[in-house]
Amino acid sequence: MIELNVNGKNHDLDVAEDTPILWALRDVIGMTGTKFGCGRALCGACTIHLDGAPTRSCITPVSLARGKKVTTIEAVGESEVGKRVQQAWLELDVVQCGYCQSGQIMAASALLAQNSNPSDADIDNAMAGNICRCGTYPRIKAAIKQAAKSKA
Amino acid sequence: MSKEPESLSEKGRSRRNFLIATTAVGGSLLIGFALPKFLDSKGIEAPGYPDMAESEDLAFSPNAFIRIDQEGVVTLIMSKAEMGQGTFTSIPMLIAEELGVDLTKVKLEQAPADDKLYADPILGSQVTGGSTSIRGAWEPMRHAGAVARTLLVTAASKQWNTGIDQCYVENGYVLNKGSDEKLAYGELVATAATLPVPDKVVLKDPKEFTLIGKPVRRLDSPEKVNGHATYGIDVRLPNMKVATVAMSPVLGGKLISVDDSKALSIKGVHQIVKLEDTVAVIADHMWAAKQGLAALAIKWDGGRNSELDMKDIVEQLDQASRNAGRAAPGVVARSDGDFNSAFDKAPLKHEAVYQVPFLSHAAIEPMNATVHVQKDRCDIWVGTQVPTLAKAGAIGITNLPPDRVFVHNHQIGGGFGRRLDVDFINQAVSIAKQVDYPVKVIWTREEDMQHGIYRPYYYDRLAAGLDKDGKLVAWSHRVTGSSIMSRWVPQLVVNGLDPDAVEVAKDPLYAPANIRVEYVRQEPPGIVTGWWRGVGATHNTFMVESFIDELAHKAGKDPLQYRLALLDKSPRAKKVLEIAAEKAGWGSALPTGSGRGLSVQHAFGTYVAQVAELEVGDEGVRVKRVVCVVDCGMVVNPDHVKAQMEGGINFGISGAMWGEITLKDGKVEQSNFDNYRVLRMNEAPIIEVHLVTNAEAPGGIGEPGTAAIAPALTNAIFAASGKRIRKLPIANNLETV
């Protein structure tokens, strides 16, 4: 049994210790906001926060989350930064198919929590791990800049 | 015009060749179909399964449907899949413009699989694709909204005993011009449903549009931003298990045997299911299923494709495309004047071979379908561009009657044409048929990449003759490659001519008096080919716009001026090109190693011109900026047009720069995003989109941006470096950053 703290709530999970957090979230707990895209941390769709740090949940086993706080897209809006990011995403109509956007928002929120006024290069570095096949990059970048300037 | 009221015992049902209005259970006003929610066609509650009404025997009806209940809740039933291109906003805009409701309050439902009710008027079937959604829905959806509005207004006018012209609608109310009175739609539906459906309705003058033409915010954004959007892969059902699969690594191979002893002892693994060419591991969750898969010892028989290599495939294409002794080996798509004679006489001649590779779609949501096959019904939960094809496939596999097979459609995490095929759905149905619980089948990225339905490899020969002033006098284009339509919609291939294969090639904007276009069908062994964003236009615009650029340089002319001089017969093309060049600063100085390249295209009913600006430096090619001018006629949502151009261009850049699926020993060599490279944030250019506004008929916007970008890039590379690339991807010719 392993205990996972997700968005402030504890879950007791009867899974092997090497189970990636992604599948514990999606299939065992039933929270499907975090997405599967590649299984090898190449696409970023699975991005969560582990004690606030952006983490690819598809390759991070639940054992590494022991004693830490997992935050997912479903609750990132409860933080001031997360709320501003989601607000900017809505104002600029960033999304198209939307499948990568949970990961994008989690990565962007982590960036802004750590760097409140990122340059273009900062944004590129932080977001290069999150693929968007619909090509919404221009709007993602603009939304991050807008969120950086806005107040919740 | 007035109609005799229908008999009340029929509850206002009238069968005509368009919309009907009828009263459903609970007194709602339904336009277009009659069955109530929550019951299947036998009137049996389907516990735990989403409602899915099926059609009755109805006259033909246009696509989207409207349901208004007595609380005034407006539900719009979406016949077009939403895969990012915006149909779940733009189609409601068309309806709401006439219906007079607040868009932020409408509910949206996915339409069930039903060609009779939901066939697209252009495509003839319930399909989302080909950049046709707005073109097909433009008139019928406004008509649907207007019919509903007319019935509600008529009901109100009766209640107030006043003329219809004294009533108007606003935000879900009918208001009385002559007094303060207003009636909510919910209060009117019971009466409205008893009224005869008008034969004719008056649509708004575009000058009065309050929604259409405005950048209305996407209705699906909130749930995609807060993690609650449910894609096919997110479906959860009672007793559901999760499966992942291994398919024959050699394309077309078969399963010989599986040793599953180790797999079955892994915690969470439930069952192994075998198909002719697939092994599925079914487990409590995806991780257990993946572990189970890794623990299998599988023996495959690769079969006749076991030694297939790219060299063989390309050689076959080359051979097929050769013109032996002037006798044309291909099917003639167009022949005006006399190309051979004009070419022979031309003082300047130019010939080139162009090649574009197989491409994968690589959407971030991998192929998946959830299926429950029971004795008397089959339910499929999936994101699909073709619900009726999915239904037909399941009928064939389960032998259930059509009214017992249900497709519950979902938002798609990237379509790009991949979801026009149902191979992965059929596979899931076949797996589910062997078990007695719902099973969600998810392909790993590796299986998705290696069992794609690829954009074909095209091997084209172009030739042109120029007069002594460099003017184009003769043009020939022979397209060689797979015929997607012969597999997907064979009735459209007449006398061997696949119209998709020669799209844009058949009618280039520059067509001189002597033009010859041919198609040679050559199928790659082992590979199933299919629709990739931009379809025929994507490869042919690359050929045409690259070749005309080569001709411009051969004639010693500026590529912009050379094209403009040939576009007098296409003023809309000329206009977008002129504006693009101006906005891009064409002709102004650039640093050494930088260059600009043009493309102009007429496809999908839309005119697009693009100018790509890039640099070819020590680290490789970097695309800096793309200017895109689009004339798509009447615009429903200008922000959607911009978004589709931005996204389409970025999708096309991925394909042109790095996209390539190759085979070795019959196996696809690419497997994930490390070896099938796609554009990332740090590589994405600045994109500027300009819309040309006019009152022309709406054109499609999902694909044109993608289809036009590749030649703009290669033309810019030529301008920057003098290197002419005729074989994509660019990365095989030059370093890229």
Side-chain angles (χ1 to χ4, degrees):
Chain A
M1 272 305 202
I2 185 152
E3 186 183 81
L4 213 58
N5 181 285
V6 181
N7 300 331
K9 189 170 163 204
N10 285 328
H11 298 266
D12 284 316
L13 305 173
D14 185 16
V15 297
E17 294 234 331
D18 66 351
T19 303
I21 296 171
L22 174 67
W23 300 116
L25 288 170
R26 288 184 58 82
D27 288 349
V28 181
I29 297 173
M31 295 172 66
T32 58
T34 308
K35 304 303 186 196
F36 168 61
C38 71
R40 289 184 49 212
L42 295 166
C43 79
C46 67
T47 309
I48 55 165
H49 295 167
L50 204 52
D51 281 351
T55 305
R56 310 299 186 209
S57 65
C58 73
I59 55 159
T60 308
V62 291
S63 58
L64 285 188
R66 199 179 257 123
K68 297 199 176 138
K69 293 191 189 318
V70 174
T71 312
T72 69
I73 183 69
E74 286 92 340
V76 75
E78 287 165 24
S79 73
E80 197 247 338
V81 169
K83 189 169 174 189
R84 278 163 37 212
V85 168
Q86 287 180 319
Q87 191 55 37
W89 246 247
L90 291 176
E91 277 165 23
L92 298 185
D93 250 359
V94 173
V95 311
Q96 289 187 24
C97 88
Y99 190 79
C100 77
Q101 298 293 344
S102 298
Q104 303 281 359
I105 288 167
M106 296 306 284
S109 301
L111 166 66
L112 285 178
Q114 178 256 333
N115 177 350
S116 60
N117 191 18
S119 63
D120 276 359
D122 293 335
I123 294 172
D124 282 349
N125 285 338
M127 303 301 291
N130 288 78
I131 297 173
C132 173
R133 291 292 282 145
C134 295
T136 66
Y137 300 125
R139 294 190 185 213
I140 293 174
K141 186 169 266 176
I144 290 172
K145 288 179 180 172
Q146 177 152 317
K149 286 199 294 250
S150 73
K151 292 188 187 344
Chain B
M1 96 271 87
S2 66
K3 283 262 166 200
E4 285 301 315
E6 300 286 319
S7 127
L8 286 176
S9 66
E10 279 191 314
K11 293 200 167 135
R13 178 175 306 176
S14 43
R15 295 187 187 278
R16 298 212 175 92
N17 277 338
F18 44 92
L19 298 171
I20 69 162
T22 188
T23 312
V25 166
S28 306
L29 170 64
L30 278 184
I31 296 190
F33 62 80
L35 284 183
K37 292 174 66 163
F38 300 114
L39 307 177
D40 70 12
S41 59
K42 282 194 175 144
I44 300 165
E45 271 228 352
Y49 287 176
D51 59 287
M52 199 50 62
E54 292 290 275
S55 71
E56 279 192 335
D57 164 38
L58 294 170
F60 162 75
S61 309
N63 303 322
F65 295 89
I66 305 165
R67 186 169 65 237
I68 309 178
D69 69 18
Q70 291 186 326
E71 270 86 62
V73 174
V74 177
T75 304
L76 304 181
I77 291 90
M78 298 284 96
S79 63
K80 289 291 169 178
E82 172 62 72
M83 44 190 172
Q85 84 286 41
T87 50
F88 270 36
T89 304
S90 52
I91 306 281
M93 284 171 71
L94 291 175
I95 300 170
E97 181 71 72
E98 294 289 343
L99 180 54
V101 291
D102 180 352
L103 259 187
T104 61
K105 298 204 171 78
V106 303
K107 289 179 151 180
L108 302 177
E109 252 177 38
Q110 299 263 8
D114 190 326
D115 272 343
K116 258 197 308 200
L117 292 181
Y118 299 108
D120 179 280
I122 296 175
L123 301 172
S125 172
Q126 190 176 353
V127 174
T128 307
S131 303
T132 57
S133 291
I134 293 298
R135 288 185 282 170
W138 172 247
E139 210 266 306
M141 291 300 96
R142 288 184 295 140
H143 187 268
V147 165
R149 180 196 70 232
T150 302
L151 290 168
L152 291 160
V153 162
T154 306
S157 74
K158 282 185 190 300
Q159 192 157 327
W160 290 326
N161 200 21
T162 185
I164 288 170
D165 56 344
Q166 285 303 299
C167 307
Y168 66 100
V169 300
E170 200 171 78
N171 277 340
Y173 286 90
V174 183
L175 298 100
N176 191 337
K177 280 184 201 168
S179 73
D180 280 337
E181 293 171 291
K182 64 178 187 184
L183 283 163
Y185 285 1
E187 301 175 79
L188 294 164
V189 291
T191 306
T194 67
L195 300 173
V197 174
D199 276 330
K200 286 206 185 91
V201 286
V202 176
L203 298 183
K204 270 189 190 178
D205 188 312
K207 287 195 214 71
E208 292 166 37
F209 284 161
T210 57
L211 279 176
I212 295 174
K214 304 273 186 299
V216 170
R217 292 238 174 85
R218 292 182 69 112
L219 301 182
D220 57 352
S221 274
E223 60 170 10
K224 289 175 174 176
V225 164
N226 65 23
H228 288 110
T230 305
Y231 300 85
I233 202 173
D234 299 323
V235 165
R236 288 178 57 79
L237 300 160
N239 303 319
M240 183 186 83
K241 304 240 174 282
V242 181
T244 197
V245 299
M247 291 173 272
S248 166
V250 172
L251 298 184
K254 301 275 176 268
L255 179 67
I256 301 176
S257 67
V258 185
D259 176 359
D260 57 16
S261 44
K262 285 211 184 86
L264 284 168
S265 63
I266 289 178
K267 180 184 169 82
V269 172
H270 197 70
Q271 190 174 349
I272 310 297
V273 164
K274 295 185 279 198
L275 303 177
E276 203 186 28
D277 55 2
T278 303
V279 184
V281 178
I282 305 179
D284 292 335
H285 50 78
M286 181 64 169
W287 180 244
K290 280 177 99 173
Q291 298 291 79
L293 202 68
L296 292 174
I298 311 178
K299 284 210 180 83
W300 302 101
D301 172 14
R304 65 200 169 121
N305 293 322
S306 301
E307 274 152 54
L308 198 54
D309 263 354
M310 284 312 292
K311 206 165 63 66
D312 309 317
I313 293 172
V314 178
E315 238 168 59
Q316 286 175 7
L317 285 161
D318 179 12
Q319 282 304 311
S321 77
R322 280 177 192 282
N323 181 355
R326 281 308 185 64
V331 173
V332 175
R334 180 164 178 190
S335 181
D336 301 345
D338 184 338
F339 169 78
N340 287 341
S341 159
F343 182 75
D344 286 344
K345 291 199 199 93
L348 287 175
K349 296 175 172 50
H350 196 65
E351 297 180 72
V353 170
Y354 285 85
Q355 298 174 62
V356 293
F358 295 109
L359 290 176
S360 170
H361 302 77
I364 304 290
E365 184 192 9
M367 296 307 109
N368 66 87
T370 303
V371 183
H372 190 184
V373 176
Q374 300 178 78
K375 210 156 45 100
D376 66 338
R377 62 182 285 160
C378 171
D379 288 86
I380 301 168
W381 295 263
V382 70
T384 175
Q385 293 173 243
V386 285
T388 48
L389 291 186
K391 180 168 168 165
I395 289 167
I397 294 166
T398 61
N399 292 314
L400 284 165
D403 68 347
R404 304 308 296 162
V405 176
F406 304 92
V407 177
H408 311 278
N409 208 354
H410 287 73
Q411 304 257 21
I412 299 173
F416 314 123
R418 181 61 177 91
R419 301 288 179 120
L420 284 168
D421 274 297
V422 297
D423 54 318
F424 62 99
I425 306 175
N426 289 341
Q427 182 195 79
V429 174
S430 301
I431 292 167
K433 200 175 149 189
Q434 296 192 33
V435 303
D436 58 13
Y437 42 78
V439 57
K440 180 194 290 186
V441 181
I442 300 175
W443 288 12
T444 60
R445 174 57 50 190
E446 289 76 11
E447 293 293 333
D448 184 293
M449 183 97 29
Q450 295 179 330
H451 295 273
I453 296 192
Y454 306 111
R455 196 284 304 273
Y457 195 115
Y458 288 97
Y459 193 106
D460 290 13
R461 295 181 183 275
L462 285 92
L466 313 180
D467 71 12
K468 60 171 170 53
D469 300 317
K471 187 166 179 231
L472 179 65
V473 296
W475 174 284
S476 154
H477 184 171
R478 181 176 310 129
V479 178
T480 303
S482 167
S483 167
I484 303 169
M485 280 197 169
S486 293
R487 172 183 71 86
W488 208 82
V489 57
Q491 57 269 33
L492 291 184
V493 181
V494 176
N495 294 328
L497 181 61
D498 180 323
D500 163 70
V502 296
E503 192 183 345
V504 167
K506 181 168 63 64
D507 33 48
L509 291 163
Y510 317 108
N514 304 289
I515 173 171
R516 185 174 183 83
V517 180
E518 298 161 9
Y519 170 59
V520 177
R521 182 181 180 190
Q522 178 63 34
E523 295 297 333
I527 297 175
V528 181
T529 61
W531 306 111
W532 195 92
R533 192 174 189 180
V535 297
T538 295
H539 55 95
N540 286 320
T541 295
F542 171 63
M543 316 299 191
V544 168
E545 282 300 303
S546 297
F547 195 58
I548 198 72
D549 214 66
E550 292 200 41
L551 298 180
H553 288 290
K554 183 145 192 139
K557 304 272 201 294
D558 168 78
L560 171 67
Q561 296 308 322
Y562 194 75
R563 285 173 172 81
L564 288 174
L566 293 167
L567 289 176
D568 283 336
K569 288 197 209 126
S570 303
R572 290 172 76 187
K574 197 169 182 184
K575 183 169 183 182
V576 293
L577 183 56
E578 281 168 337
I579 297 172
E582 189 239 313
K583 298 285 183 193
W586 182 267
S588 65
L590 280 172
T592 316
S594 288
R596 294 187 186 96
L598 293 169
S599 78
V600 60
Q601 171 187 266
H602 178 213
F604 310 104
T606 289
Y607 293 84
V608 157
Q610 293 174 353
V611 180
E613 187 184 304
L614 47 73
E615 63 187 10
V616 182
D618 293 331
E619 288 175 350
V621 180
R622 178 190 290 279
V623 187
K624 305 281 287 289
R625 180 184 177 222
V626 177
V627 171
C628 177
V629 180
V630 51
D631 170 1
C632 58
M634 296 279 285
V635 170
V636 175
N637 190 320
D639 199 47
H640 288 194
V641 178
K642 288 202 170 118
Q644 288 311 295
M645 292 304 128
E646 291 164 356
I649 284 165
N650 280 336
F651 190 83
I653 291 175
S654 287
M657 291 282 269
W658 304 290
E660 188 181 34
I661 288 289
T662 54
L663 259 71
K664 189 174 159 63
D665 299 328
K667 302 178 200 179
V668 172
E669 293 187 279
Q670 292 72 22
S671 58
N672 210 313
F673 291 110
D674 53 348
N675 51 35
Y676 190 82
R677 187 172 163 183
V678 298
L679 191 73
R680 292 172 181 272
M681 165 76 84
N682 56 314
E683 301 151 339
I686 293 168
I687 302 176
E688 298 159 23
V689 181
H690 304 273
L691 268 67
V692 170
T693 49
N694 55 43
E696 301 279 357
I701 56 154
E703 294 171 281
T706 294
I709 190 61
L713 298 177
T714 52
N715 292 338
I717 288 171
F718 181 79
S721 69
K723 190 173 168 76
R724 170 60 62 185
I725 293 173
R726 293 181 179 164
K727 186 172 181 228
L728 296 180
I730 290 166
N732 285 357
N733 299 268
L734 281 178
E735 290 295 310
T736 61
V737 296

